[in-house]
Amino acid sequence: MPSLSTLDELPVEFTVLLQTAIDAEQAASGHQRRSAFRTTRYVIGALIAAGTAPAVIAALTGTVEGSVRSRATPGGIIAPEHFALLARIPSTEIRHWADTGLLPALSTDAGGTIGYPAEDLVRALHETRTATPDRTVIPSAS
């Protein structure tokens, strides 16, 4: 994927994913807040792996690059139904990605979460979207 070094270059689906993860983190409490915080770290790590500059993520989150870099956690597993909620897509779409080979086999992390690496989910999300000139995201015909 290309380098995404400005807000204008950031795909809408990435902005939606990050903002929804942050909103979920802020709305959660107790154990759910820790889980949401961890998921946001995985999303940030996946966006950086997809070529998003930490400065762009910092601008979206109202933080500084150092905070973004320290929160980024690559390789985290996200449950497909949870990612679907964050990305605001139907969970059947993620099953379709798996069935068509866009995703690896399901795996389980040390905490027992069954899902896919965040980087693979973000890559599949991006690959199955097409942006129109006005930046409206339209699902691909797959």
Side-chain angles (χ1 to χ4, degrees):
M1 289 179 49
S3 175
L4 307 168
S5 57
T6 68
L7 284 173
D8 289 339
E9 296 171 335
L10 191 66
V12 173
E13 62 268 20
F14 287 4
T15 303
V16 168
L17 178 64
L18 181 59
Q19 190 58 57
T20 306
I22 290 168
D23 290 348
E25 181 181 299
Q26 292 173 348
S29 63
H31 175 70
Q32 288 80 19
R33 186 170 184 111
R34 285 189 298 278
S35 177
F37 187 79
R38 182 175 42 252
T39 299
T40 302
R41 289 190 344 241
Y42 296 162
V43 167
I44 290 170
L47 292 176
I48 290 172
T52 306
V56 172
I57 296 170
L60 284 172
T61 59
T63 60
V64 296
E65 280 186 64
S67 294
V68 170
R69 290 182 200 282
S70 68
R71 282 197 70 189
T73 304
I77 301 296
I78 301 177
E81 61 278 0
H82 189 65
F83 187 83
L85 289 171
L86 295 175
R88 297 184 181 169
I89 59 173
S91 59
T92 55
E93 188 168 345
I94 296 176
R95 282 194 293 275
H96 178 74
W97 298 345
D99 292 345
T100 58
L102 277 175
L103 295 173
L106 284 167
S107 56
T108 305
D109 70 8
T113 300
I114 299 170
Y116 300 102
E119 290 83 356
D120 291 319
L121 289 163
V122 165
R123 180 187 42 75
L125 177 66
H126 185 65
E127 288 180 9
T128 58
R129 298 287 181 274
T130 304
T132 63
D134 67 353
R135 306 288 291 154
T136 303
V137 176
I138 301 170
S140 67
S142 49

